[in-house]
PDB file of all heavy atoms in Angstrom:
ATOM      1  N   PHE A 338     -47.342   4.162 -26.190  1.00 98.00           N
ATOM      2  CA  PHE A 338     -46.850   3.916 -24.840  1.00 98.00           C
ATOM      3  C   PHE A 338     -46.203   2.535 -24.786  1.00 98.00           C
ATOM      4  O   PHE A 338     -46.698   1.581 -25.386  1.00 98.00           O
ATOM      5  CB  PHE A 338     -47.990   3.994 -23.821  1.00 98.00           C
ATOM      6  CG  PHE A 338     -48.560   5.367 -23.650  1.00 98.00           C
ATOM      7  CD1 PHE A 338     -49.567   5.826 -24.485  1.00 98.00           C
ATOM      8  CD2 PHE A 338     -48.087   6.207 -22.661  1.00 98.00           C
ATOM      9  CE1 PHE A 338     -50.101   7.090 -24.332  1.00 98.00           C
ATOM     10  CE2 PHE A 338     -48.603   7.487 -22.501  1.00 98.00           C
ATOM     11  CZ  PHE A 338     -49.617   7.930 -23.338  1.00 98.00           C
ATOM     12  N   THR A 339     -45.113   2.429 -24.038  1.00 98.00           N
ATOM     13  CA  THR A 339     -44.391   1.171 -23.892  1.00 98.00           C
ATOM     14  C   THR A 339     -44.374   0.763 -22.430  1.00 98.00           C
ATOM     15  O   THR A 339     -44.036   1.559 -21.554  1.00 98.00           O
ATOM     16  CB  THR A 339     -42.941   1.308 -24.394  1.00 98.00           C
ATOM     17  OG1 THR A 339     -42.960   1.755 -25.755  1.00 98.00           O
ATOM     18  CG2 THR A 339     -42.196  -0.012 -24.301  1.00 98.00           C
ATOM     19  N   ASP A 340     -44.756  -0.474 -22.175  1.00 98.00           N
ATOM     20  CA  ASP A 340     -44.748  -1.003 -20.814  1.00 98.00           C
ATOM     21  C   ASP A 340     -43.303  -1.274 -20.400  1.00 98.00           C
ATOM     22  O   ASP A 340     -42.639  -2.163 -20.930  1.00 98.00           O
ATOM     23  CB  ASP A 340     -45.569  -2.293 -20.752  1.00 98.00           C
ATOM     24  CG  ASP A 340     -45.788  -2.773 -19.323  1.00 98.00           C
ATOM     25  OD1 ASP A 340     -44.976  -2.423 -18.437  1.00 98.00           O
ATOM     26  OD2 ASP A 340     -46.761  -3.512 -19.087  1.00 98.00           O
ATOM     27  N   ILE A 341     -42.811  -0.484 -19.441  1.00 98.00           N
ATOM     28  CA  ILE A 341     -41.427  -0.627 -18.980  1.00 98.00           C
ATOM     29  C   ILE A 341     -41.382  -1.062 -17.512  1.00 98.00           C
ATOM     30  O   ILE A 341     -40.362  -0.894 -16.836  1.00 98.00           O
ATOM     31  CB  ILE A 341     -40.641   0.685 -19.155  1.00 98.00           C
ATOM     32  CG1 ILE A 341     -41.291   1.813 -18.331  1.00 98.00           C
ATOM     33  CG2 ILE A 341     -40.550   1.078 -20.627  1.00 98.00           C
ATOM     34  CD1 ILE A 341     -40.445   3.062 -18.225  1.00 98.00           C
ATOM     35  N   THR A 342     -42.461  -1.645 -17.028  1.00 98.00           N
ATOM     36  CA  THR A 342     -42.581  -1.956 -15.603  1.00 98.00           C
ATOM     37  C   THR A 342     -41.408  -2.791 -15.098  1.00 98.00           C
ATOM     38  O   THR A 342     -40.742  -2.417 -14.117  1.00 98.00           O
ATOM     39  CB  THR A 342     -43.900  -2.700 -15.324  1.00 98.00           C
ATOM     40  OG1 THR A 342     -44.985  -1.997 -15.930  1.00 98.00           O
ATOM     41  CG2 THR A 342     -44.142  -2.819 -13.831  1.00 98.00           C
ATOM     42  N   GLU A 343     -41.158  -3.901 -15.754  1.00 98.00           N
ATOM     43  CA  GLU A 343     -40.107  -4.807 -15.281  1.00 98.00           C
ATOM     44  C   GLU A 343     -38.718  -4.214 -15.477  1.00 98.00           C
ATOM     45  O   GLU A 343     -37.879  -4.251 -14.571  1.00 98.00           O
ATOM     46  CB  GLU A 343     -40.231  -6.158 -15.982  1.00 98.00           C
ATOM     47  CG  GLU A 343     -41.473  -6.951 -15.575  1.00 98.00           C
ATOM     48  CD  GLU A 343     -41.473  -8.351 -16.149  1.00 98.00           C
ATOM     49  OE1 GLU A 343     -40.421  -8.770 -16.709  1.00 98.00           O
ATOM     50  OE2 GLU A 343     -42.506  -9.036 -16.051  1.00 98.00           O
ATOM     51  N   GLN A 344     -38.462  -3.670 -16.667  1.00 97.00           N
ATOM     52  CA  GLN A 344     -37.127  -3.136 -16.916  1.00 97.00           C
ATOM     53  C   GLN A 344     -36.828  -1.917 -16.053  1.00 97.00           C
ATOM     54  O   GLN A 344     -35.664  -1.610 -15.761  1.00 97.00           O
ATOM     55  CB  GLN A 344     -36.959  -2.782 -18.392  1.00 97.00           C
ATOM     56  CG  GLN A 344     -37.743  -1.576 -18.859  1.00 97.00           C
ATOM     57  CD  GLN A 344     -37.579  -1.288 -20.340  1.00 97.00           C
ATOM     58  OE1 GLN A 344     -38.054  -2.048 -21.184  1.00 97.00           O
ATOM     59  NE2 GLN A 344     -36.900  -0.200 -20.654  1.00 97.00           N
ATOM     60  N   ALA A 345     -37.887  -1.207 -15.595  1.00 98.00           N
ATOM     61  CA  ALA A 345     -37.681  -0.058 -14.726  1.00 98.00           C
ATOM     62  C   ALA A 345     -37.486  -0.470 -13.268  1.00 98.00           C
ATOM     63  O   ALA A 345     -37.117   0.365 -12.434  1.00 98.00           O
ATOM     64  CB  ALA A 345     -38.865   0.894 -14.831  1.00 98.00           C
ATOM     65  N   GLY A 346     -37.744  -1.743 -12.941  1.00 98.00           N
ATOM     66  CA  GLY A 346     -37.529  -2.229 -11.586  1.00 98.00           C
ATOM     67  C   GLY A 346     -38.757  -2.232 -10.696  1.00 98.00           C
ATOM     68  O   GLY A 346     -38.649  -2.435  -9.486  1.00 98.00           O
ATOM     69  N   ILE A 347     -39.949  -2.031 -11.271  1.00 98.00           N
ATOM     70  CA  ILE A 347     -41.186  -2.042 -10.488  1.00 98.00           C
ATOM     71  C   ILE A 347     -41.717  -3.472 -10.426  1.00 98.00           C
ATOM     72  O   ILE A 347     -42.017  -4.080 -11.457  1.00 98.00           O
ATOM     73  CB  ILE A 347     -42.244  -1.114 -11.106  1.00 98.00           C
ATOM     74  CG1 ILE A 347     -41.689   0.301 -11.275  1.00 98.00           C
ATOM     75  CG2 ILE A 347     -43.509  -1.117 -10.253  1.00 98.00           C
ATOM     76  CD1 ILE A 347     -41.332   0.993 -10.000  1.00 98.00           C
ATOM     77  N   GLN A 348     -41.833  -4.018  -9.217  1.00 97.00           N
ATOM     78  CA  GLN A 348     -42.304  -5.392  -9.042  1.00 97.00           C
ATOM     79  C   GLN A 348     -43.414  -5.440  -8.002  1.00 97.00           C
ATOM     80  O   GLN A 348     -43.420  -6.274  -7.101  1.00 97.00           O
ATOM     81  CB  GLN A 348     -41.145  -6.299  -8.629  1.00 97.00           C
ATOM     82  CG  GLN A 348     -40.035  -6.384  -9.660  1.00 97.00           C
ATOM     83  CD  GLN A 348     -38.886  -7.272  -9.211  1.00 97.00           C
ATOM     84  OE1 GLN A 348     -38.695  -7.514  -8.027  1.00 97.00           O
ATOM     85  NE2 GLN A 348     -38.129  -7.763 -10.173  1.00 97.00           N
ATOM     86  N   PHE A 349     -44.375  -4.561  -8.148  1.00 98.00           N
ATOM     87  CA  PHE A 349     -45.447  -4.444  -7.158  1.00 98.00           C
ATOM     88  C   PHE A 349     -46.706  -5.138  -7.636  1.00 98.00           C
ATOM     89  O   PHE A 349     -47.161  -4.938  -8.769  1.00 98.00           O
ATOM     90  CB  PHE A 349     -45.769  -2.971  -6.897  1.00 98.00           C
ATOM     91  CG  PHE A 349     -46.918  -2.745  -5.961  1.00 98.00           C
ATOM     92  CD1 PHE A 349     -46.737  -2.801  -4.597  1.00 98.00           C
ATOM     93  CD2 PHE A 349     -48.187  -2.465  -6.456  1.00 98.00           C
ATOM     94  CE1 PHE A 349     -47.807  -2.590  -3.725  1.00 98.00           C
ATOM     95  CE2 PHE A 349     -49.256  -2.246  -5.596  1.00 98.00           C
ATOM     96  CZ  PHE A 349     -49.067  -2.310  -4.229  1.00 98.00           C
ATOM     97  N   THR A 350     -47.287  -5.962  -6.765  1.00 98.00           N
ATOM     98  CA  THR A 350     -48.589  -6.569  -7.000  1.00 98.00           C
ATOM     99  C   THR A 350     -49.510  -6.210  -5.846  1.00 98.00           C
ATOM    100  O   THR A 350     -49.191  -6.471  -4.679  1.00 98.00           O
ATOM    101  CB  THR A 350     -48.493  -8.099  -7.117  1.00 98.00           C
ATOM    102  OG1 THR A 350     -47.643  -8.436  -8.217  1.00 98.00           O
ATOM    103  CG2 THR A 350     -49.863  -8.720  -7.334  1.00 98.00           C
ATOM    104  N   HIS A 351     -50.620  -5.601  -6.171  1.00 98.00           N
ATOM    105  CA  HIS A 351     -51.565  -5.200  -5.126  1.00 98.00           C
ATOM    106  C   HIS A 351     -52.232  -6.433  -4.527  1.00 98.00           C
ATOM    107  O   HIS A 351     -52.629  -7.352  -5.233  1.00 98.00           O
ATOM    108  CB  HIS A 351     -52.634  -4.273  -5.711  1.00 98.00           C
ATOM    109  CG  HIS A 351     -53.704  -3.898  -4.744  1.00 98.00           C
ATOM    110  ND1 HIS A 351     -54.960  -4.461  -4.770  1.00 98.00           N
ATOM    111  CD2 HIS A 351     -53.700  -3.031  -3.695  1.00 98.00           C
ATOM    112  CE1 HIS A 351     -55.687  -3.948  -3.798  1.00 98.00           C
ATOM    113  NE2 HIS A 351     -54.945  -3.080  -3.132  1.00 98.00           N
ATOM    114  N   TYR A 352     -52.341  -6.423  -3.203  1.00 97.00           N
ATOM    115  CA  TYR A 352     -53.011  -7.514  -2.473  1.00 97.00           C
ATOM    116  C   TYR A 352     -54.341  -6.992  -1.948  1.00 97.00           C
ATOM    117  O   TYR A 352     -54.379  -5.961  -1.275  1.00 97.00           O
ATOM    118  CB  TYR A 352     -52.136  -8.003  -1.313  1.00 97.00           C
ATOM    119  CG  TYR A 352     -52.746  -9.149  -0.531  1.00 97.00           C
ATOM    120  CD1 TYR A 352     -52.835 -10.423  -1.076  1.00 97.00           C
ATOM    121  CD2 TYR A 352     -53.259  -8.941   0.756  1.00 97.00           C
ATOM    122  CE1 TYR A 352     -53.398 -11.474  -0.359  1.00 97.00           C
ATOM    123  CE2 TYR A 352     -53.826  -9.984   1.477  1.00 97.00           C
ATOM    124  CZ  TYR A 352     -53.893 -11.245   0.911  1.00 97.00           C
ATOM    125  OH  TYR A 352     -54.459 -12.294   1.609  1.00 97.00           O
ATOM    126  N   ASP A 353     -55.437  -7.684  -2.264  1.00 96.00           N
ATOM    127  CA  ASP A 353     -56.769  -7.189  -1.904  1.00 96.00           C
ATOM    128  C   ASP A 353     -57.379  -7.874  -0.696  1.00 96.00           C
ATOM    129  O   ASP A 353     -58.468  -7.508  -0.256  1.00 96.00           O
ATOM    130  CB  ASP A 353     -57.721  -7.287  -3.094  1.00 96.00           C
ATOM    131  CG  ASP A 353     -57.746  -8.685  -3.711  1.00 96.00           C
ATOM    132  OD1 ASP A 353     -57.429  -9.654  -3.000  1.00 96.00           O
ATOM    133  OD2 ASP A 353     -58.064  -8.789  -4.908  1.00 96.00           O
ATOM    134  N   GLY A 354     -56.727  -8.905  -0.146  1.00 95.00           N
ATOM    135  CA  GLY A 354     -57.218  -9.559   1.060  1.00 95.00           C
ATOM    136  C   GLY A 354     -58.376 -10.500   0.857  1.00 95.00           C
ATOM    137  O   GLY A 354     -59.004 -10.945   1.833  1.00 95.00           O
ATOM    138  N   LYS A 355     -58.705 -10.859  -0.372  1.00 95.00           N
ATOM    139  CA  LYS A 355     -59.859 -11.723  -0.625  1.00 95.00           C
ATOM    140  C   LYS A 355     -59.664 -13.124  -0.046  1.00 95.00           C
ATOM    141  O   LYS A 355     -58.632 -13.758  -0.262  1.00 95.00           O
ATOM    142  CB  LYS A 355     -60.105 -11.840  -2.131  1.00 95.00           C
ATOM    143  CG  LYS A 355     -60.581 -10.560  -2.789  1.00 95.00           C
ATOM    144  CD  LYS A 355     -60.745 -10.751  -4.289  1.00 95.00           C
ATOM    145  CE  LYS A 355     -61.188  -9.455  -4.967  1.00 95.00           C
ATOM    146  NZ  LYS A 355     -61.269  -9.601  -6.443  1.00 95.00           N
TER     147      LYS A 355
END
Side-chain angles (χ1 to χ4, degrees):
F338 292 86
T339 303
D340 189 336
I341 61 169
T342 311
E343 291 187 10
Q344 71 182 69
I347 305 296
Q348 298 179 338
F349 176 82
T350 300
H351 175 257
Y352 181 71
D353 52 25
K355 292 178 182 176

